[in-house]
Amino acid sequence: MRRIALAERTDWRSKAAECGFGFHTIDDAPYWDESAYYAFSLREIEHDVEAPSEELHAMALDLLDGIVVDEQQLRQLAIPEPYWDWIAQSWRERQPHLYGRMDFAYDGSGPAKLYELNYDTPTSLYEAAFFQWQWLEDQLARGQLPAGSDQFNSIYESLVEAFGTIARRLPRPFHFAAVRDSAEDQGTIAYLRDCALQAGIDCGTLAIEDIGVSADGRFTDLDDRVIGSLFKLYPLEDMFREAFGAYLPRSGLLLIEPPWKALLSNKGILPLLWDAHRGHPNLLAAEFDDGGELPRGWVRKPLHSREGANVAMHLDDGRELHTAGPYGDGPCIRQACHPLTGFDGHYPLIGSWIVGDRACGIGIREDNSLITRDSARFVPHAIVEEARGVLIA
Amino acid sequence: MKRSKTAALLLMSTVPLLLSACDRSEGAAREGVYTSVETCVAQTNDRSTCQQAFDKAQKDAAATAPRFANREACEASYGKEQCAERNDGASHSFFGPLMTGFFLSQMLRNGSPMSGFNSSPAFRDSNGGWQQPAPGGAGVYRGGAGSAMVPINATADHAVTTSRSGFGTSGSSRGFGS
């Protein structure tokens, strides 16, 4: 795994404009960054990222049968009691899931270490599935990458296949919803809807704020149609505590991601995974936080923090890092500190995409600090043939 | 190759895009749920297909029907007198709903049905809704044990909306994705 500088495509901004990529620059700061790329060997991808991703995904799902009937674990995961039966039912029915992203610390040496599961509202999907793919094709065509370079990225094909597979289980109408004013979230649901349309599913989009409720507790769209299925790019735990949350269990609405994802998109799953698979090479030691002093070599993360907010890191050398954020007062976990490796002062975090149950691609975000925040930039990657000079010699 | 062969955009792109040769113009299908071969024939005028679809559905019914440990649990979901004891061939017995109809789907070309069909048993739950076994979990999803049941689609209901903006109040300048 190497970080290689490469000239940007001169026309990438106009391509982004043509392809609906409106959030390549966020709050005047660059987000899409193709001034460099990460090069992997095929073995690094298949052996160190793809295979562990599928294994960890299966391990996480295998915990669910136990969690849904374990009051203590449901409390540890801070799931509000009124939603327990609904979540358990959604798992027993295996209500369909679409996608998730695992974040790994990996630098090409040693096993990738799982930081967390983003299994409810993962973004950076469009840029990983589409714009990164287009970057590779363009740079290959221009001879800027070694001939035969590839990319770990069948995310698009997997999404279309997944939508096609679950289509018959989705009561209609089927809508995609995100907050109205987030260009990034709106771009993500526009892309997902595009993939669903390509799978032959008729579907629309809706601002999450526009969802209505009827007198008998069913959810409606702006035409007063009762929503059959809703993809919501909006955290389940926020829905639980908002005004309409109480209607969810009896509304008849099919949610994607389904309610059972609340158990996985929760940093509390990390200590549960560690307890079940202590010493697994891709897991970091983890435990529920007791609120005491954070010893050296540990990181404290809120159960529901997103984008690296409210993380405290106490490094082995005694340095302490903290990020601000809105999740300060909730329950936390502790995870063994395994800092990201710097590449020329950049700290890449590997986002490994799971569509359905298949590990099908990665997207890399790099920040200038050890904690990956919403300031991180998306940097493309390629699988590059290993040098064959030795064989020829 | 570890990447998608193509990565098409349908609506997001401002550039006109030609879909590949196998486009969707032949994607139309005729689908129906029938309670008997006779109602199927009345609708489709195709006795041979209706009979074959019924036979296949009946053959699949025992294997794909949801399974319950006892009659009470089954009747709670499917109604009184709607359940029967079954056996999986390995001397495990369980209760499952009786097939109350069958689902038939045929692809259409130029408005006429093509040869070949899909059929599955259909079950009526105690609320009067029709269900069929979910298609098997191949491909991108790993297979699960037992058949999940899925609703056979009904047309959308309307309801008078009494309130909006009950979601989305948690507030964030940068969206909620992660």
Side-chain angles (χ1 to χ4, degrees), chain A residues 11-252:
Chain A
D11 60 348
W12 74 260
R13 285 181 178 77
S14 62
K15 290 207 162 178
E18 281 168 10
C19 296
F21 189 11
F23 53 100
H24 57 72
T25 304
I26 299 178
D27 299 338
D28 298 323
Y31 168 57
W32 172 262
D33 180 357
E34 60 175 72
S35 65
Y37 70 99
Y38 283 89
F40 294 86
S41 69
L42 184 60
R43 183 185 155 79
E44 286 171 338
I45 290 293
E46 292 189 332
H47 184 267
D48 295 348
V49 179
E50 182 179 11
S53 296
E54 294 215 339
E55 184 187 355
L56 292 173
H57 174 79
M59 281 159 53
L61 262 60
D62 286 345
L63 291 181
L64 292 176
D65 279 338
I67 297 174
V68 296
V69 294
D70 188 325
E71 200 170 300
Q72 189 201 342
Q73 291 185 345
L74 290 166
R75 288 190 198 286
Q76 285 178 311
L77 294 171
I79 306 294
E81 195 167 339
Y83 298 98
W84 289 358
D85 289 344
W86 178 61
I87 288 170
Q89 183 68 17
S90 78
W91 173 243
R92 278 194 285 272
E93 292 174 4
R94 297 296 189 273
Q95 286 179 11
H97 60 294
L98 181 67
Y99 76 145
R101 194 192 72 231
M102 297 180 180
D103 285 342
F104 286 111
Y106 178 68
D107 64 2
S109 67
K113 296 290 188 184
L114 177 69
Y115 269 14
E116 60 188 56
L117 303 180
N118 292 290
Y119 263 36
D120 182 22
T121 60
T123 50
S124 76
L125 177 74
Y126 166 86
E127 42 281 40
F130 180 79
F131 210 65
Q132 169 177 243
W133 183 91
Q134 198 180 53
W135 166 86
L136 185 98
E137 294 288 334
D138 286 349
Q139 297 290 34
L140 269 176
R142 293 165 195 209
Q144 299 299 305
L145 289 170
S149 293
D150 197 0
Q151 193 170 74
F152 181 32
N153 182 11
S154 63
I155 303 169
Y156 159 79
E157 287 176 345
S158 299
L159 283 170
V160 175
E161 184 186 338
F163 276 121
T165 308
I166 64 177
R168 284 169 67 182
R169 297 187 64 186
L170 304 176
R172 314 293 156 82
F174 176 34
H175 290 308
F176 290 83
V179 284
R180 195 190 320 274
D181 295 328
S182 166
E184 191 181 0
D185 290 4
Q186 287 292 333
T188 303
I189 62 164
Y191 183 62
L192 283 164
R193 179 185 178 224
D194 204 288
C195 292
L197 288 168
Q198 293 184 52
I201 302 178
D202 186 22
C203 50
T205 59
L206 181 73
I208 197 103
E209 297 91 335
D210 283 340
I211 292 171
V213 75
S214 63
D216 59 354
R218 294 182 294 165
F219 292 108
T220 56
D221 65 16
L222 287 171
D223 297 324
D224 274 3
R225 288 187 301 167
V226 174
I227 303 171
S229 309
L230 181 75
F231 175 96
K232 88 282 143 331
L233 192 64
Y234 194 78
L236 283 163
E237 69 271 14
D238 286 343
M239 299 178 89
F240 292 169
R241 59 165 183 260
E242 292 183 359
F244 282 179
Y247 295 108
L248 282 168
R250 279 169 296 282
S251 66

